[in-house]
Amino acid sequence: MMTTKQRIYWVSLIAGAGLCLDQLSKWFASYYLNGWQMTSYWFDLVRLGYRENSGVFLSLGSELPPPLRSVLFIGVIGLLLVAILMYTLKGAELNRNQVTGLSLVLSGGVSNLIDRVLNNGAVIDFLNLGLGELRTGVFNIADVAILCGAVMVILFTSHNQHVATQKT
């Protein structure tokens, strides 16, 4: 198990690195990519283009009135991120892999929250992957961090439960 001091260091390292990487990539996208025009790379496996998403995953909620979007996507998500941070720092049963996963979720969540606060409620997206017509939605590095972190938490929580079951 990790001490609180170790957790603070680990969360700061992982979340800080993820936050910096995402914000740097969004700066690059806003500065260098043509707005709303996707450019194809690597035999059309990767497309890059600047987008602003005022919703969440796949633009869900983008049609909500702006004040409600602000309450949900800034206020509620901000409170949720504070709760995740507190749990990550204080959850005695969490192992290093779970703390790492939660730190990734925090890095992506905070970075997207920063976007919303500074970009009139929108998040900057710029990546699209796929083969032919089978493609992902447009996303950013923060979205990847959130997804990878959530998968880590699920996998390593399931692993912990499996190990605990075997011990009894």
Side-chain angles (χ1 to χ4, degrees):
M1 290 295 160
M2 299 173 75
T3 66
T4 301
K5 187 176 180 179
Q6 289 171 323
R7 283 176 195 250
I8 291 170
Y9 173 77
W10 195 244
V11 171
S12 299
L13 181 69
I14 300 296
L19 177 73
C20 290
L21 180 63
D22 183 62
Q23 287 296 307
L24 184 62
S25 68
K26 289 173 179 174
W27 171 83
F28 173 85
S30 65
Y31 192 76
Y32 289 106
L33 298 179
N34 292 327
W36 311 104
Q37 176 187 345
M38 297 300 275
T39 305
S40 176
Y41 298 93
W42 296 300
F43 307 103
D44 202 34
L45 291 173
V46 176
R47 293 179 185 171
L48 298 177
Y50 181 87
R51 299 282 192 279
E52 290 184 1
N53 179 4
S54 60
V56 289
F57 178 72
L58 296 176
S59 296
L60 292 173
S62 62
E63 300 300 319
L64 293 172
L68 181 57
R69 277 198 326 258
S70 292
V71 167
L72 292 176
F73 302 154
I74 295 175
V76 173
I77 289 177
L79 290 173
L80 179 62
L81 290 169
V82 169
I84 291 170
L85 176 62
M86 299 282 73
Y87 178 65
T88 304
L89 295 177
K90 297 293 183 183
E93 72 284 358
L94 297 175
N95 63 42
R96 183 179 299 269
N97 292 321
Q98 292 167 314
V99 171
T100 301
L102 289 168
S103 298
L104 287 169
V105 170
L106 282 167
S107 77
V110 169
S111 191
N112 280 341
L113 188 65
I114 289 170
D115 268 17
R116 291 192 189 283
V117 169
L118 298 179
N119 198 28
N120 203 23
V123 170
I124 296 171
D125 289 332
F126 57 92
L127 289 163
N128 176 268
L129 304 175
L131 293 170
E133 296 300 313
L134 182 62
R135 306 209 64 83
T136 65
V138 183
F139 60 97
N140 58 46
I141 303 295
D143 299 335
V144 174
I146 293 167
L147 179 64
C148 290
V151 167
M152 282 183 75
V153 170
I154 291 166
L155 288 177
F156 290 106
T157 300
S158 298
H159 175 73
N160 282 353
Q161 290 173 347
H162 180 69
V163 170
T165 304
Q166 286 181 337
K167 288 181 179 179
T168 56

